[in-house]
Amino acid sequence: EYNVHVHVRANGLAAVALCDREYPVRVAFTLLMKLQDDFVSIHSDEAWRNATTELPFPEINEVIEKYQNPAEADNLMRLQRELDETKIILHKTIDSVLERGVKLDNLVDKSNDLSTQSKMFYQTAKSQNSCCGMM
C-alpha cells in the first residue's frame, strides 16, 4: 500500500519519504532532494554530523504541505496536465469545425438543389406560357 523512498547524498545526508503507491516516484525524489538542499543551506555538514539532538528545520512543514498535491508541486506534471487539458479543448474545437463543415456542405447541396428546381420551374413555366398567345 505504501512505498518508501530514500535518497542519500555523497556526503552521507539521507532523506526518507513514506508515500502511498499513487504518489509519483519522480516527485517523491524531487521532494527529498529539495528538503536536503534546504536543510544543507541552514545547517553545515559538521553541524548535522555532530548533532546529538534534533536540529531545527521549520521549513519542512511548508515544503511537505506544498508537495501534498504532486500535480501542483511538480512543474513537469503541471505542464502535462495543462497540455492534456489543451489537447481536449483542441479536439472539441476540431470536432465542432468539422461538424460546421458538414452543415455548410449540406447547405451548399440544398442551395444547388433549389437552384436546379428553380431553373426547371422557370423552363416549365416558359413552355406553358408559350402555348397561349396574346390576342
Side-chain angles (χ1 to χ4, degrees), residues 100-114:
R100 282 188 208 131
V102 169
K103 289 179 181 178
L104 285 175
D105 288 344
N106 288 341
L107 284 174
V108 168
D109 291 343
K110 288 178 183 179
S111 174
N112 288 338
D113 291 345
L114 187 59

Side-chain angles (χ1 to χ4, degrees), residues 49-101:
R49 284 183 193 275
N50 298 326
T52 56
T53 61
E54 184 177 327
L55 295 175
F57 187 40
E59 295 84 0
I60 191 169
N61 292 330
E62 181 182 322
V63 175
I64 289 174
E65 182 72 30
K66 177 183 173 188
Y67 277 80
Q68 289 297 311
N69 183 356
E72 291 300 320
D74 185 53
N75 287 335
L76 192 57
M77 287 188 73
R78 185 173 52 248
L79 287 174
Q80 183 63 46
R81 189 191 72 239
E82 290 172 3
L83 183 62
D84 290 342
E85 290 171 358
T86 303
K87 196 164 89 172
I88 289 168
I89 292 169
L90 284 175
H91 281 285
K92 288 179 181 179
T93 304
I94 289 170
D95 288 344
S96 66
V97 166
L98 291 174
E99 189 175 306
R100 282 188 208 131

Side-chain angles (χ1 to χ4, degrees), residues 10-63:
N11 65 0
L13 182 63
V16 179
L18 177 66
C19 306
D20 60 21
R21 289 187 187 261
E22 290 82 33
Y23 200 85
V25 173
R26 193 176 57 72
V27 179
F29 279 99
T30 302
L31 167 64
L32 293 176
M33 288 186 280
K34 175 162 180 37
L35 287 172
Q36 288 174 321
D37 289 342
D38 292 351
F39 185 81
V40 169
S41 71
I42 297 171
H43 304 288
S44 67
D45 283 358
E46 184 179 327
W48 63 262
R49 284 183 193 275
N50 298 326
T52 56
T53 61
E54 184 177 327
L55 295 175
F57 187 40
E59 295 84 0
I60 191 169
N61 292 330
E62 181 182 322
V63 175

